[in-house]
C-alpha cells in the first residue's frame, strides 16, 4: 500500500516518511478507506491525520508542534488504559476480558489480555490508533481513539 500511495501522487507523498509509519497504521487506514470506497489518496490522507510528515513539504517536530487541545505526544499507563473503550471489541467484551500485563514501548502501550481460553494483545498507540489481535494472529478490531 505504501508504494500505491506514493505512485498515486508522487508529488504529494514522501516515501521515506511513509516507510516510518507502523504497519498497523497502514492496515487500519487501508481497511477504513476500502470500507468507504476510497483509493490510495484517501488512505494517505487518513494516515496524514496522524503522520503529517508523510506530506511532502510538511516538516513537523512532534516535540514542539503539538498545538491541538489534548494532543499529547505520549500517554501514561492510566491514560492509555482509559482509551481501551474506544475499541469496539473491548467495549463489547469488557466483562469477559482480563488485562494480564501492561508494557510501554516507545510509540505505544501493549495490554496483554485473556478472554476465556483466548489470549491476545491490545495496542494503544500514541498516534491515536488502537488495535487488538489474538495470540494466533487474528485481528480482533482496530480504531482511532483521538
Amino acid at each position: 500500500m505504501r508504494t500505491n500511495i506514493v505512485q498515486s501522487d508522487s508529488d504529494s507523498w514522501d516515501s521515506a516518511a511513509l516507510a516510518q509509519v507502523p504497519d498497523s497504521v497502514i492496515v487500519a487506514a487501508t481497511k477504513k478507506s476500502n470500507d468507504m470506497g476510497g483509493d490510495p489518496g484517501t488512505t494517505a490522507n487518513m494516515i496524514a491525520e496522524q503522520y503529517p510528515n508523510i506530506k511532502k513539504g510538511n516538516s513537523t517536530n512532534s516535540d514542539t508542534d503539538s498545538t491541538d487541545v489534548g494532543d499529547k505526544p505520549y500517554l501514561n499507563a492510566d491514560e492509555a488504559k482509559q482509551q481501551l473503550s474506544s475499541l469496539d471489541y473491548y467495549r463489547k467484551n469488557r466483562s469477559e476480558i482480563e488485562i494480564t500485563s501492561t508494557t510501554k514501548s516507545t510509540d505505544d502501550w501493549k495490554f496483554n489480555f485473556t478472554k476465556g481460553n483466548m489470549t491476545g494483545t491490545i495496542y494503544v498507540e500514541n498516534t491515536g490508533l488502537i488495535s487488538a489481535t489474538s495470540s494466533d494472529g487474528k485481528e480482533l478490531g482496530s480504531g482511532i481513539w483521538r
Side-chain angles (χ1 to χ4, degrees), residues 14-137:
D14 184 331
S15 62
L18 197 56
Q20 300 302 312
V21 176
D23 290 346
S24 60
V25 174
I26 302 289
V27 170
T30 300
K31 182 179 181 331
K32 187 174 181 182
S33 175
N34 288 346
D35 290 347
M36 296 177 1
D39 58 15
T42 302
T43 303
N45 283 312
M46 289 178 176
I47 296 166
E49 289 175 15
Q50 298 299 318
Y51 291 88
N53 60 328
I54 70 167
K55 289 184 178 181
K56 283 189 175 176
N58 187 10
S59 65
T60 61
N61 180 333
S62 62
D63 292 334
T64 59
D65 287 350
S66 292
T67 56
D68 294 337
V69 174
D71 187 16
K72 289 176 57 175
Y74 301 102
L75 298 170
N76 66 39
D78 289 335
E79 292 168 332
K81 195 166 190 174
Q82 290 173 7
Q83 302 311 324
L84 294 176
S85 62
S86 300
L87 185 65
D88 285 342
Y89 177 79
Y90 180 82
R91 200 170 42 252
K92 291 175 183 174
N93 297 286
R94 179 184 319 219
S95 64
E96 300 172 56
I97 292 176
E98 177 187 351
I99 302 295
T100 57
S101 69
T102 304
T103 308
K104 181 185 185 303
S105 74
T106 305
D107 297 322
D108 62 18
W109 285 90
K110 178 170 95 171
F111 295 92
N112 290 318
F113 69 90
T114 60
K115 178 184 177 251
N117 292 328
M118 183 187 75
T119 60
T121 306
I122 300 172
Y123 293 93
V124 178
E125 298 181 28
N126 289 315
T127 61
L129 295 175
I130 185 169
S131 61
T133 56
S134 65
S135 56
D136 65 1

